[in-house]
Amino acid sequence: MTDQTLPLPDHREESSTNYAGPRIPRRRPRPAPRITAVVVAALALWAVWLTWDTFVASPLGQRADQLALEGAARGQNTLWELAEPVLGVVSNSFIGLGLAAAVILALARGRWWLAVQVAILVGGSNLTTQVLKHAVLDRPALLDVPRADINTLPSGHTTVAASIAVGLLIAVPRRWRPVVAVAGAAYTAATGVSTLIGQWHRPSDVVAAILVVLAWGAGVCALSSPSSLDAPQDGPQRGTSGAAALLLLGAAGTGALAVGALGSVRGDGWGLPLGGDLTAYMGGMLGVVAVTLGAFALLLLVRQSTARP
């Protein structure tokens, strides 16, 4: 009699359980790539200070930077025809349109936190540049030249160009990042070199701006959330290693030439048969290209690693 009083199984509950299926653990960002991103950001900030300390706070550094500025007068009429349109693109409208494009792209992919990361990157980079230039860093008048005490480090135009390029690098899908990294590096380098051609900035100003964006770009990658991760089927892309290797190889080559030119300006190293201002100018251009290529290679690797599911 007692067996007949046992409750019958609830088939509705069983079918409901079978329909829902087992719970799948939510993907979370891996800690190691995020720690690496923090280290890259910290080193980039330190490099900003080192750039200022070497080329602004010391007489020898100021001399090399000033020679590069004066060397830009050579051939400027011809080069400015190429540089002026590049600099003309950079404006408040450009910032708004570039930021909107990156944010909309992230939202279209259903990545709301990724859109926030892009906004933090662009806003933080440009605000940092203005604060450093006008409120934190100074320029001691160590040389007898006009406006010797007016600080111009970091470059605002270069910061705008680099931050928009890195914002797009962060927002696009995984397979497109190598292409965007190479294109963004080329555009940023062109903008930075154009400010040298127009004698708007010295090489150290441009280098510091790129390093500011590198710090913010790596920093926001360290803030990755599940919304920032790639889809599970997006595994490693062969294009990533190829693009990173190309950028790093270019950085090593131009960097070696820039160091040689700097040594020549200081009176040691190469004995180039060129005037000191032209050597410094060419070395400054090469240094800008080297730092730009290296920064975008790092950002590509950091973004891909922090976004890997």
Side-chain angles (χ1 to χ4, degrees), residues 53-190:
D53 187 60
T54 301
F55 292 98
V56 179
S58 70
L60 192 59
Q62 278 202 17
R63 177 177 175 271
D65 237 11
Q66 185 64 28
L67 281 174
L69 183 68
E70 295 170 358
R74 301 202 188 190
Q76 189 178 58
N77 292 336
T78 301
L79 293 175
W80 184 242
E81 295 179 2
L82 301 174
E84 186 177 16
V86 176
L87 295 177
V89 172
V90 179
S91 63
N92 291 332
S93 300
F94 175 76
I95 296 177
L97 291 174
L99 176 59
V103 168
I104 291 172
L105 179 59
L107 293 176
R109 299 178 59 212
R111 311 300 176 87
W112 64 271
W113 178 244
L114 196 57
V116 174
Q117 288 176 277
V118 170
I120 292 174
L121 161 68
V122 175
S125 297
N126 288 278
L127 180 60
T128 299
T129 285
Q130 297 305 317
V131 171
L132 288 177
K133 182 187 299 185
H134 299 295
V136 177
L137 302 178
D138 62 352
R139 183 178 182 84
L142 304 178
L143 302 177
D144 185 17
V145 295
R147 299 163 60 91
D149 60 342
I150 297 178
N151 181 51
T152 56
L153 182 149
S155 163
H157 277 72
T158 307
T159 302
V160 169
S163 62
I164 296 299
V166 176
L168 291 171
L169 172 62
I170 291 176
V172 298
R174 188 178 192 87
R175 65 181 179 275
W176 285 105
R177 289 176 199 144
V179 176
V180 173
V182 173
Y187 171 65
T188 301

Side-chain angles (χ1 to χ4, degrees), residues 208-235:
I210 296 167
L211 293 172
V212 166
V213 177
L214 173 59
W216 276 97
V220 297
C221 286
L223 300 176
S224 295
S225 71
S227 173
S228 307
L229 297 179
D230 295 326
Q233 64 268 23
D234 291 340

Side-chain angles (χ1 to χ4, degrees), residues 27 30 173-178 229-241 303-305 307-309:
R27 295 176 294 119
R30 295 173 298 150
R174 188 178 192 87
R175 65 181 179 275
W176 285 105
R177 289 176 199 144
L229 297 179
D230 295 326
Q233 64 268 23
D234 291 340
Q237 300 288 328
R238 285 182 293 180
T240 297
S241 57
R303 174 58 182 145
Q304 295 291 55
S305 62
R308 185 170 298 160

